[in-house]
Amino acid sequence: MWLPEGEPVPDHATFARFRKRCGKEIEDLFYQYTRYCFMSI
């Protein structure tokens, strides 16, 4: 993962909050991507 030099590294709680807030959107994006890959075959 790329992080700006000198910036603090996100901790587990940061990622957990992100996944909790954006879980449905992440899941939808995953399904769109897999559908796209499958259709490209």
Side-chain angles (χ1 to χ4, degrees):
M1 172 186 280
W2 178 83
L3 295 173
E5 191 172 322
E7 293 295 318
V9 177
D11 62 355
H12 172 76
T14 303
F15 285 109
R17 281 191 308 271
F18 174 76
R19 290 183 66 205
K20 188 173 186 176
R21 277 189 282 154
C22 301
K24 294 292 182 188
E25 292 84 358
I26 293 169
E27 184 178 352
D28 182 52
L29 184 61
F30 172 76
Y31 284 117
Q32 287 180 41
Y33 180 72
T34 54
R35 194 175 322 127
Y36 173 78
C37 290
F38 181 73
M39 299 303 282
S40 297
I41 296 176

